[in-house]
Amino acid sequence: MTTTLDTTRFGAFGGTFAPETLMAPLFELEREWKRWTADADFRAELASLLQHFAGRPTALTHARRLSRELGLELWLKREDLLHTGAHKLNNTLGQCLLAQRMGKSRVVAETGAGQHGVATATACALLGLDCVVYMGAVDAARQRMNLLRMELLGARVRVVEHGQRTLKDAINEAMRAWVGDPTETHYALGSALGPHPFPSIVAGFQQVIGEEARKDFLARTGRLPDAVVACVGGGSNAIGIFRAFVPDASVALVGVEAGGEGVGKGQQHAARFAGGEPGVLHGCYTYLLQDDDGQIRPTHSISAGLDYPAVGPEHAMLHDEKRARYSWATDAEALRGFEALAKGEGILCALESAHAVGWVLREREALSGQHVLVNLSGRGDKDLETIASLRGPEREGA
Amino acid sequence: MSAVDKLELRLRALRATGRKGIAPYLTAGDGGSDVTLAVLRELADQDVPCVELGLPFSDPIADGPLLQAANDRALAAGTTFEEVLEILSRFRRGGRGELGRDLPVIVMSYSNPLVRRGWGNAVRALARAGADGLLVADLPIEEAGAMSSAARMAGIAPIFFVAPTTSEQRMTTAIQMSRGFVYAIGRLGVTGARTELDDAAQAFLARVRQVAGGLPVGVGFGISNASEVGAALKHADLAIVGSAFVEHVHQAVSQAAPPRRLDAARVAAREFLQVLSGGLPA
C-alpha cells in the first residue's frame, strides 16, 4: 500500500523522506493510527488515562500580579501541572497505547530536555512495555535528574556520544534503532516532526491542550484571547495549543523559538525562522538551520528542549501562510521570564516555556491591554541545576 | 553514450557473462581528496564493475558508526559538494598512463545537500563532473519525482532501494524506476550491521532477483568479508562493501607516514579487494 503525497504534507512541507526499510513500518503506523484513533474503546481508554492518570484537564490560571505589572491580561495554560511535569505525556500515552494495540513489545524514543524520555518511560511502565531512550551526552549532563527518573521508571537510557550530542543526535540514534527492528519496535517520536505520519500523530494527541484552553478561556472571560503564545522547539506544545485557534482569525498565534546568544551573524541560536531555510532533516521537508552546503548547523539554547535545528512542518506551513507569526527570545530573556513567573506568580516553569513568557515581557508595549494566553508547557524542576550554575557568581558577589 | 547506458550496459554485460562483482563504497574526502582520488584510481585499475562515492552529510541516519565516523572525518577535512565534483572531474581527466577512466561512479547522498541546490542543479552538476548513477539514502520512491526526472534529463542513472520490509508492489515500482541496478538492502538495520544473511534474507534476495528480471541487483549493508560476499552473490550480481572497506582504508591511511598515505590507501584498497574476491563464485 502506498500513500498519496498530499496527505503527507502541510502545504509544501512535511513528506516522508525516510530510508526504504522504514517505509513499510511508516505505512503500518499510519494505518493503525487511523484505525485505533477512530475506535471507541481506544478513545475511551486514552481519555480515561488522560483524566485519571495524567490529571487532565489542566488548569487555566490568570496571572494576576504579572497582568497588573505588565498592563495586559496574562493567562497561563498549565501543562506544567500534568503528571511528569510537561505536556509530553499527552503524546506518549497516546502513542504507547497505540504501540500496545499494534502488538509491539518495545518502544524507543529520543529526548532532549528529558521530558519526552520521562513521559515515554512513564507510559511504558504503566502499560508494561520495554523502553529504550536515546539522550545526547550534553543533555544527559545538564538534565541528569531526568536521566535518573527514566532509569527509576525502568527505562534503559542510551547516552549518545557523537555529533553535537544533543536532541538532533538522539533522534538520529532512535531512528537507527528503529531501522534495526521495525517489526517489534515502535518509535515514539516526541515532537510534531519527522516523516509522515508522525507530525500528524503527535499534533493529534497534543491538540487536547488547545481544545481545553479555548473552552475554558471562553467560559471564564466570555471571549477569545487576542494572542496565543507558545515556545517552539520541534513544536508539539505549540501546535497542540494552536490547532484549536487556527480557525479563529482574530486570535494571533505566536511561536517563540530559542534565540540563544542572539540571532545575529556569528551568534548561536535555534531560531529556524530567523536564520533557516527549507530543507530535509529527519524525514521531513521544513525550515532548517543549515550551511550553504546543506550540512546541518550547530545550535545553541539554554533549554535542551528547544536546542534543535529543524521545526515541525505544520509550523512551516502556518509561517508561510502567515497564519502564525514566529519570533524568538534569547537565553537572557528566557531567564527574565522564568524569574518573573517565579517571583510574581509562584510558578517555577521550564526554561523552554520561559521563552514564551520572556517574549511577552519584551513585547509588553505592543501587547498593552490585550488578553494573552501563554502555554506553560512544563515545570522547571529539571532546570534548577542549570539556573543554579548561572546564579553562582552573582550570589557570591551579593 | 549516456552515463545511464554506460552503467547499465556494463552491468548487464557482466550479468550476461555470468560474472559477478564487488562494488566498493567510499566516503568522498575521508582522509582528504587525494586519498579518495588514489582509491578511485586503484579501483579503476582493479577493474571493479562500479564504485559508490558517498557525498558526506552531517546526519546520516541510515548509516552505522563506521560510516558516521567517515562522514564526520570528511566534513572535518572540509569536503564540500564542490570538492566532491572536483574529485570526480579529476578522476575523469585521469593521469598519465592511467587506465579505467570509464569506471562507473554512483554518487550516494542524503537528500539535503542536493535539495539545498535544487534537484535539477545538483544532478546536472554531478553528471557534468562524471557521475553515472545517483542513490539517495532518505529518498523513497514517493518523494523521488524531481530527482528521477532530473536524473533522466541529465543522463544519469537513478537507483532505488528495496528492503526486506518492502511490499511486492513497491518493489516492482522501485525496480521500474531504477536504471543500472537496483539496490537491495540485505538486512534490517543501518550500514555495517553484523548479522548473517540468513534464509529469510536469501528468500528476499531471490524475490528481488525474480522481480528485477534483466536488471542487475546489488546487495549491500553489512557485507564485510569473503564468505558474506559469497552469500550475497547467491542471487545478486553485485556485492556492495561499504563500512568494512572504508574502515580498512582508513586504518591503513591513518597509520601511514604522511608521504606514504596515498600509496597506503591504494595498497589497502587492492589487498582488501583481493581478500573479498575469495568470495566470488568461480
Side-chain angles (χ1 to χ4, degrees):
Chain A
M1 186 182 113
T2 53
T3 307
T4 53
L5 279 181
D6 44 337
T7 67
T8 74
R9 301 221 171 216
F10 298 94
F13 302 100
T16 317
F17 295 85
E20 176 61 25
T21 306
L22 289 183
M23 293 305 288
L26 287 166
F27 292 139
E28 180 200 13
L29 179 59
E30 183 186 35
R31 262 194 322 271
E32 297 283 309
W33 164 64
K34 284 182 173 160
R35 171 185 169 199
W36 290 109
T37 50
D39 178 86
D41 287 344
F42 179 92
R43 295 169 68 98
E45 187 174 354
L46 180 57
S48 172
L49 289 175
L50 287 172
Q51 183 183 350
H52 304 299
F53 178 74
R56 299 214 74 89
T58 57
L60 178 69
T61 300
H62 183 224
R64 295 185 301 179
R65 292 183 63 206
L66 265 184
S67 291
R68 266 200 305 278
E69 192 189 321
L70 298 173
L72 49 84
E73 295 302 322
L74 180 63
W75 293 79
L76 307 169
K77 178 59 175 169
R78 301 290 306 280
E79 292 301 295
D80 60 314
L81 295 176
L82 198 68
H83 179 42
T84 73
H87 72 291
K88 294 291 186 187
L89 191 63
N90 298 322
N91 171 46
T92 60
L93 283 176
Q95 283 206 47
C96 291
L97 204 57
L98 183 59
Q100 197 183 45
R101 290 289 202 281
M102 289 168 73
K104 307 282 179 182
S105 59
R106 188 172 82 128
V107 172
V108 296
E110 81 294 341
T111 198
Q115 291 303 117
H116 175 59
V118 168
T120 308
T122 299
C124 285
L126 176 74
L127 298 170
L129 295 162
D130 189 27
C131 180
V132 181
V133 179
Y134 293 87
M135 187 175 198
V138 169
D139 293 338
R142 61 179 160 178
Q143 301 288 355
R144 63 194 176 104
M145 282 301 144
N146 270 346
L147 194 151
L148 180 60
R149 287 166 84 195
M150 287 182 256
E151 288 180 343
L152 292 173
L153 289 160
R156 276 165 294 151
V157 180
R158 302 266 162 83
V159 176
V160 180
E161 293 284 0
H162 51 75
Q164 204 191 326
R165 297 179 297 154
T166 56
L167 179 57
K168 165 179 82 82
D169 312 289
I171 294 179
N172 288 343
E173 272 320 293
M175 289 192 130
R176 288 172 185 136
W178 196 31
V179 173
D181 183 19
T183 318
E184 285 300 312
T185 298
H186 172 67
Y187 176 25
L189 190 46
S191 197
L193 45 85
H196 175 78
F198 282 115
S200 296
I201 290 179
V202 177
F205 287 136
Q206 291 292 1
Q207 69 189 30
V208 63
I209 302 171
E211 287 161 4
E212 282 176 14
R214 190 178 182 281
K215 191 167 136 245
D216 283 0
F217 201 96
L218 274 171
R220 298 270 293 280
T221 67
R223 51 162 292 164
L224 288 171
D226 298 299
V228 175
V229 186
C231 65
V232 184
S236 71
N237 91 84
I239 206 67
I241 197 163
F242 284 179
R243 271 193 170 184
F245 293 97
V246 165
D248 302 316
S250 69
V251 180
L253 305 175
V254 182
V256 183
E257 300 187 284
E261 302 163 348
V263 299
K265 209 171 169 61
Q267 292 177 306
Q268 291 228 331
H269 59 84
R272 289 68 45 103
F273 290 115
E277 285 177 77
V280 174
L281 181 67
H282 292 150
C284 72
Y285 180 69
T286 186
Y287 280 82
L288 301 181
L289 290 174
Q290 56 180 322
D291 67 16
D292 291 342
D293 224 37
Q295 307 295 342
I296 306 307
R297 257 174 38 199
T299 53
H300 163 79
S301 171
I302 192 172
S303 63
L306 304 185
D307 200 352
Y308 179 69
V311 67
E314 196 168 348
H315 288 293
M317 177 187 75
L318 292 174
H319 171 270
D320 277 20
E321 287 179 346
K322 301 196 183 344
R323 176 60 192 96
R325 166 186 167 198
Y326 294 83
S327 185
W328 44 268
T330 61
D331 289 350
E333 287 168 334
L335 284 168
R336 280 199 281 281
F338 178 88
E339 285 206 10
L341 213 54
K343 289 182 179 145
E345 298 294 336
I347 298 169
L348 294 175
C349 74
L351 281 177
E352 286 78 13
S353 325
H355 284 72
V357 181
W359 180 85
V360 172
L361 296 183
R362 188 180 79 210
E363 302 294 326
R364 57 194 289 181
E365 306 265 308
L367 296 168
S368 177
Q370 294 194 9
H371 286 64
V372 178
L373 169 61
V374 167
N375 193 23
L376 220 56
S377 55
R379 71 178 182 221
D381 307 49
K382 68 182 175 61
D383 296 315
L384 297 186
E385 285 197 73
T386 302
I387 291 161
S389 69
L390 290 169
R391 286 169 57 90
E394 193 186 317
R395 289 176 69 188
E396 278 165 27
Chain B
M1 194 194 317
S2 82
V4 182
D5 298 333
K6 183 173 97 184
L7 178 65
E8 192 153 331
L9 282 177
R10 188 174 172 123
L11 297 180
R12 279 181 186 267
L14 184 77
R15 183 165 161 63
T17 61
R19 279 179 61 212
K20 302 194 170 198
I22 295 163
Y25 162 95
L26 65 160
T27 304
D30 177 15
S33 300
D34 288 342
V35 166
T36 302
L37 197 57
V39 174
L40 284 174
R41 286 174 173 159
E42 183 61 36
L43 294 175
D45 287 351
Q46 296 301 315
D47 200 26
V48 296
C50 63
V51 59
E52 272 184 59
L53 184 65
L55 190 76
F57 182 50
S58 54
D59 294 85
I61 55 170
D63 286 305
L66 292 176
L67 291 189
Q68 288 168 43
N71 276 269
D72 288 347
R73 289 192 299 265
L75 291 174
T79 312
T80 59
F81 184 81
E82 289 298 327
E83 186 61 31
V84 176
L85 296 179
E86 180 61 26
I87 292 171
L88 260 173
S89 306
R90 281 170 68 194
F91 175 58
R92 288 302 182 219
R93 284 198 298 272
R96 239 177 318 167
E98 283 193 1
L99 296 169
R101 276 177 292 163
D102 63 343
L103 169 66
V105 176
I106 291 122
V107 170
M108 147 96 196
S109 181
Y110 283 81
S111 293
N112 202 51
L114 307 178
V115 166
R116 186 78 176 121
R117 278 161 192 82
W119 286 110
N121 286 337
V123 169
R124 271 194 301 279
L126 290 171
R128 267 200 307 273
D132 302 275
L134 178 61
L135 254 171
V136 185
D138 57 351
L139 191 77
I141 51 178
E142 284 78 2
E143 303 287 357
M147 179 279 236
S148 219
S149 56
R152 274 196 304 273
M153 298 260 292
I156 193 170
I159 295 162
F160 292 92
F161 293 94
V162 291
T165 50
T166 304
S167 70
E168 293 289 335
Q169 190 196 328
R170 281 177 63 75
M171 189 183 287
T172 305
T173 311
I175 285 166
Q176 281 168 353
M177 289 173 71
S178 294
R179 293 288 177 273
F181 68 94
V182 61
Y183 191 128
I185 296 170
R187 61 199 90 201
L188 300 177
V190 292
T191 54
R194 298 297 306 278
T195 53
E196 264 181 47
L197 277 179
D198 57 13
D199 291 349
Q202 291 295 359
F204 159 68
L205 294 175
R207 193 156 60 94
V208 179
R209 166 80 282 150
Q210 194 184 2
V211 178
L215 185 72
V217 175
V219 186
F221 281 49
I223 299 172
S224 64
N225 59 41
S227 86
E228 286 163 350
V229 166
L233 292 179
K234 193 171 163 201
H235 296 289
D237 307 286
L238 290 172
I240 299 160
V241 183
S243 300
F245 184 79
V246 163
E247 185 62 12
H248 197 82
V249 173
H250 166 64
Q251 289 298 338
V253 169
S254 59
Q255 284 161 23
R260 296 264 316 130
R261 282 159 53 89
L262 301 186
D263 283 342
R266 290 189 76 137
V267 169
R270 180 164 65 235
E271 288 179 352
F272 194 53
L273 204 57
Q274 276 159 7
V275 170
L276 294 172
S277 298
L280 290 175

